[in-house]
Amino acid sequence: MTRIESKFSKLGNAGKKAFVAYIMAGDPDYDTSLELMQGLPNAGVDIIELGVPFTDPMADGPTIQLAGQRALAQGMTLQRTLDMAAEFRKSDNTTPIVMMGYYNPICNRGVQKFLSDAKSSGVDGLIVVDLPPEEDEELCIPAQRAGLDFIRLATPTTDEKRLPKVLTNTSGFIYYVSITGITGAGAAEVGNVRPQIARIRESTALPVVVGFGIRTPELAREIANVADGCVVGSAIVAKLGNGETPEQVLKFIGGLAEGAHSA
C-alpha cells in the first residue's frame, strides 16, 4: 500500500476527509519553505502538494506564478526540490508528498533518472498538468512502474466522453478542479461541485479531492463534505507573498485543516 492509499484508508476508518496543502518549493527561499513544509503535518495537513518552480506555469494564476518567480530568483531547481523532499523525509516517513509541476524540467533531466530520484527522495505521486492522457507512455506509465502515483485533473469541462480517458491509468486520487480557469481565480461553489463529484464517483473508486477557489475554513468544510477532501494552494501561497512567517502561515493552515476535518 502506498503512502497515499494508506492515508486515505486511515482517514476513511476515522470518518474524516483529507486536507491537502500546496506550497511552492523554495518560496520565499529554501530554508523558509522547508521550515513550512516540516510544520505542515502538525498543522493538520494530510497530504503535501509540493510545487516545482517553472518559468512558464500555464495552469497557475498570478499568486502561484509570483511564488515560482521568487523561488527561481533564489536559485530553486528541480534538484533542490527533490533535496527538500528528502530532507523532509528524515523526520516524517508517513505524510504523502505529491510533486506538482510541468514536464519540461522532467524531460530535461531524463524521465528514468527523474523517477528514480523522486522515488529515492520520498516522493509518492506526481501531478504534471501539461501531459494529457494521450501521452501516458511518456511519463504516467513509467511513473507507476516506478511505484509513483500519477494523479490526473478533472475539470467542469471534462464531459462524459472525455472522463473515461482522464481516469485511465490515474492512481492515488482524482483532483477535481472546481472552477474553469487558472489557480486563484474565483471561488468554489458547493452547488456546482456536488453533482460533478457524484458523476466522477460513478466511474471510479478512487478518492476525489477538490481544489481551486478554497480560501476559508468554512468553504473547506463545505467542499470536503461533498468530496473525499480538499486542496488549498493560492490562499496559502499568498500569505507567504505578503511576508507572513511560517508560524503565521501554519496557524492559517491549521484553521483550514480543522474546517476540512469537521466535514
Side-chain angles (χ1 to χ4, degrees), residues 62-85:
T63 298
I64 292 181
Q65 286 186 24
L66 288 170
Q69 290 173 13
R70 290 191 296 267
L72 290 169
Q74 290 293 320
M76 202 63 184
T77 61
L78 175 57
Q79 178 59 54
R80 296 197 76 200
T81 304
L82 293 168
D83 292 343
M84 188 170 156

Side-chain angles (χ1 to χ4, degrees), residues 30-261:
Y30 180 92
D31 290 339
T32 303
S33 62
L34 177 59
E35 180 183 350
L36 179 62
M37 184 180 184
Q38 290 171 329
L40 292 177
N42 284 338
V45 174
D46 298 300
I47 298 173
I48 297 170
E49 188 181 344
L50 185 62
V52 182
F54 182 53
T55 54
D56 189 22
M58 63 182 186
D60 295 315
T63 298
I64 292 181
Q65 286 186 24
L66 288 170
Q69 290 173 13
R70 290 191 296 267
L72 290 169
Q74 290 293 320
M76 202 63 184
T77 61
L78 175 57
Q79 178 59 54
R80 296 197 76 200
T81 304
L82 293 168
D83 292 343
M84 188 170 156
E87 188 64 29
F88 175 84
R89 279 283 170 248
K90 291 180 180 179
S91 59
D92 188 313
N93 197 40
T94 59
T95 304
I97 299 172
V98 175
M99 185 173 283
M100 185 277 182
Y102 296 83
Y103 185 53
N104 184 281
I106 296 171
C107 182
N108 186 58
R109 189 181 187 86
V111 167
Q112 291 304 324
K113 177 171 173 51
F114 165 75
L115 293 175
S116 175
D117 292 345
K119 185 68 175 176
S120 63
S121 298
V123 173
D124 302 289
L126 304 174
I127 298 175
V128 183
V129 296
D130 54 349
L131 275 183
E134 287 76 11
E135 305 296 333
D136 273 357
E137 292 290 345
E138 197 74 28
L139 180 63
C140 172
I141 292 174
Q144 291 177 337
R145 287 175 181 156
L148 296 167
D149 284 316
F150 199 87
I151 295 145
R152 194 89 65 187
L153 275 60
T155 74
T157 59
T158 305
D159 59 22
E160 297 300 330
K161 182 178 180 181
R162 184 63 176 169
L163 184 59
K165 191 70 175 176
V166 169
L167 296 176
T168 300
N169 297 325
T170 300
S171 60
F173 60 90
I174 303 296
Y175 188 136
Y176 178 70
V177 177
S178 64
I179 55 177
T180 303
I182 54 177
T183 58
E189 294 187 11
V190 177
N192 295 333
V193 169
R194 183 183 289 108
Q196 296 285 0
I197 299 302
R199 180 172 67 92
I200 294 170
R201 281 175 168 164
E202 290 176 356
S203 301
T204 182
L206 288 171
V208 184
V209 176
V210 178
F212 286 45
I214 302 170
R215 300 185 180 88
T216 66
E218 294 76 20
L219 189 52
R221 180 176 61 251
E222 291 177 14
I223 294 296
N225 192 48
V226 300
D228 297 296
C230 66
V231 185
V232 178
S234 294
I236 294 170
V237 171
K239 296 282 184 181
L240 285 168
N242 291 333
E244 294 194 19
T245 65
E247 183 179 5
Q248 291 171 315
V249 177
L250 288 168
K251 183 177 180 181
F252 172 68
I253 292 170
L256 294 165
E258 186 176 343
H261 291 151

